């Protein structure tokens, strides 16, 4: 395992994350043999051009595997590889795009935390609404015992991490750089706090820097690690949609939080919702999707009004009274489709409850009942 670990650390500086050709080499030949071929300039492996093979050999000239492991130990980091007890088996679903290993900063077990985790991602330049929804979801999921996973970026990512931390819950930041150098720098304090209270993980070796392509391939790890991906705000061109579509390909739940129809930052989410994503509005609805049998969200109902407690016959008689002026018992009976005797009995019942009053030979709504009935009739 020591040779295997060293080989994977070495390959982490030669192969880019998500390199499926390199992943196939490792699967077919083993990490130790692939590392030897690259380090010694052995015969060219299949699947790459001469130009690319030359580039890989040039990168392989610098072997920093032992140094990387020493730097990681000094920084309180560890390198988790397939076969370790801490390796999360969900990452194996990525096939040849599976990470060579994962650098982990923080005390909890990555495998155990990944078993009950949800990703929440979204726009960096999010609106106040997006930040509010992300923080609320992060706190709500954490309070329900779920691990919240995101990318540590500005906007939605930062808001969801803070929401989980504020609720005293568990959160994981998946970085597109070395986990010993927080990015973005403006989130250094946040990522440090995540490492103290949760986990900070990434594929790249210590000190390595992020690039646009690394952010994109990082998203597949977020999708694979979790049971589902929630997108809070995303434009049509958004890395968050890459995460959601990776989740769809992996058979994970894809979930969207709707926004205003006029908001360009919600356009990508609405596109997802028109496909196979499921609409949610709070943490309880997320848990209902990704959780175990019986973890149901509460049913949503409007307020129960006093007239809702009336028997159906009394409600029909009440509805038959005009909004203005009195009506005879006969007219009320015809409107309620009942007999006049039944209508009179119902009217006396409604009078005792304060809904109607006698007015000469007729009956009329009380002032409070008029407000109530008009409100009911005005609904659409």
């Amino acid at each position: 395992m020591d040779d295997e670990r060293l080989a994977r650390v070495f390959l982490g500086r030669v192969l880019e994350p998500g390199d499926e050709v390199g992943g196939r080499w490792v699967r077919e030949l083993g990490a130790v043999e692939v590392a030897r071929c690259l380090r010694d300039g052995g015969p060219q492996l299949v699947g790459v051009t001469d130009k690319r093979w030359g580039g890989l050999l040039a990168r392989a000239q610098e072997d920093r595997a032992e140094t990387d492991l020493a730097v990681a130990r000094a920084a309180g980091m560890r390198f988790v590889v397939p076969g370790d007890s801490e390796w999360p088996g969900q990452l194996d679903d990525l096939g040849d795009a599976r990470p060579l290993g994962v650098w982990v900063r923080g005390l909890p077990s990555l495998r155990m935390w990944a078993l009950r985790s949800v990703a929440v991602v979204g726009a960096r330049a999010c609106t106040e609404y997006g930040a509010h929804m992300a923080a609320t979801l992060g706190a709500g999921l954490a309070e329900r015992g779920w691990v919240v996973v995101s990318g540590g970026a500005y906007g939605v990512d930062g808001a969801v991490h803070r929401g989980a931390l504020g609720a005293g819950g568990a959160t994981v930041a998946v970085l597109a750089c070395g986990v010993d150098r927080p990015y973005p720098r403006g989130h250094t304090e946040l990522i440090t706090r995540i490492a103290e209270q949760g986990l900070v993980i990434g594929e790249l070796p210590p000190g390595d820097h992020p690039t646009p392509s690394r952010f994109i391939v990082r998203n597949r790890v977020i999708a694979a690690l979790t049971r589902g991906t929630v997108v809070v705000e995303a434009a049509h061109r958004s890395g968050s949609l890459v995460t959601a579509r990776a989740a769809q390909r992996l058979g994970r739940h894809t979930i969207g939080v709707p926004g205003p129809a006029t908001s360009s930052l919600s356009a990508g989410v609405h596109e997802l919702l028109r496909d196979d994503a499921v609409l949610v509005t709070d943490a309880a609805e997320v848990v209902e999707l990704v959780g175990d049998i019986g973890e149901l969200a509460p049913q949503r109902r409007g307020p129960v009004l006093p007239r809702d407690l009336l028997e159906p016959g009394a409600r029909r008689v009440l509805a038959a009274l005009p909004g203005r002026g009195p009506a005879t018992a006969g007219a009320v009976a015809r409107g309620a489709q009942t007999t006049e005797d039944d209508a009179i009995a119902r009217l006396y019942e409604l009078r005792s409850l304060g809904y109607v009053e006698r007015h000469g030979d007729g009956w009329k709504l009380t002032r409070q009942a008029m407000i109530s009935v008009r409100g009911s009739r005005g609904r659409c």
Side-chain angles (χ1 to χ4, degrees), residues 41-126:
Q44 180 172 327
L45 298 176
V46 298
V48 292
T49 62
D50 294 343
K51 182 178 179 180
R52 177 146 186 253
W53 181 250
L56 293 174
L57 293 179
R59 295 182 75 167
Q61 294 307 302
E62 186 178 12
D63 186 351
R64 297 173 52 183
E66 293 187 0
T67 302
D68 284 339
L69 286 173
V71 169
R73 281 193 296 270
M77 297 157 48
R78 58 193 181 276
F79 188 60
V80 178
V81 299
D84 286 344
S85 60
E86 194 181 351
W87 178 259
Q90 298 95 315
L91 294 180
D92 297 338
D93 293 345
L94 291 169
D96 290 338
R98 179 182 71 172
L100 293 163
V102 179
W103 298 91
V104 181
R105 182 180 166 200
L107 296 178
S109 166
L110 176 60
R111 183 180 72 84
M112 296 303 296
W113 273 29
L115 291 174
R116 191 174 167 86
S117 63
V118 182
V120 182
V121 297
R124 286 178 173 83
C126 66

Side-chain angles (χ1 to χ4, degrees), residues 190-277:
L190 173 62
I191 292 173
T192 300
R193 188 181 170 198
I194 294 172
E196 293 170 352
Q197 188 171 322
L199 290 172
V200 178
I201 71 171
E203 298 176 75
L204 292 161
D208 225 346
H209 63 279
T211 63
S213 63
R214 288 174 172 178
F215 282 112
I216 296 299
V217 296
R218 177 275 310 271
N219 293 343
R220 84 196 192 288
V221 175
I222 295 176
L225 199 63
T226 55
R227 290 199 194 179
T229 294
V230 183
V231 184
V232 176
E233 280 188 325
H236 280 300
R237 288 175 55 87
S238 170
S240 302
L241 299 183
V242 174
T243 311
R245 287 170 183 140
Q248 284 179 328
R249 290 193 298 272
L250 291 165
R252 310 293 198 260
H253 293 282
T254 308
I255 306 162
V257 176
T262 54
S263 171
S264 61
L265 281 175
S266 290
V269 181
H270 296 161
E271 183 181 352
L272 280 178
L273 293 172
R274 291 185 64 191
D275 294 334
D276 296 327

Side-chain angles (χ1 to χ4, degrees), residues 265-317:
L265 281 175
S266 290
V269 181
H270 296 161
E271 183 181 352
L272 280 178
L273 293 172
R274 291 185 64 191
D275 294 334
D276 296 327
V278 178
L279 184 151
V280 299
T281 58
D282 61 18
E285 293 175 350
V286 175
V287 172
E288 184 176 65
L289 283 173
V290 303
D292 299 323
I293 294 174
E295 294 188 80
L296 301 176
Q299 291 187 344
R300 315 295 181 180
R301 289 193 178 97
V304 177
L305 301 177
R307 65 174 178 273
D308 297 331
L309 304 177
L310 296 173
E311 292 182 0
R315 285 203 300 270
R316 286 195 297 271
V317 168

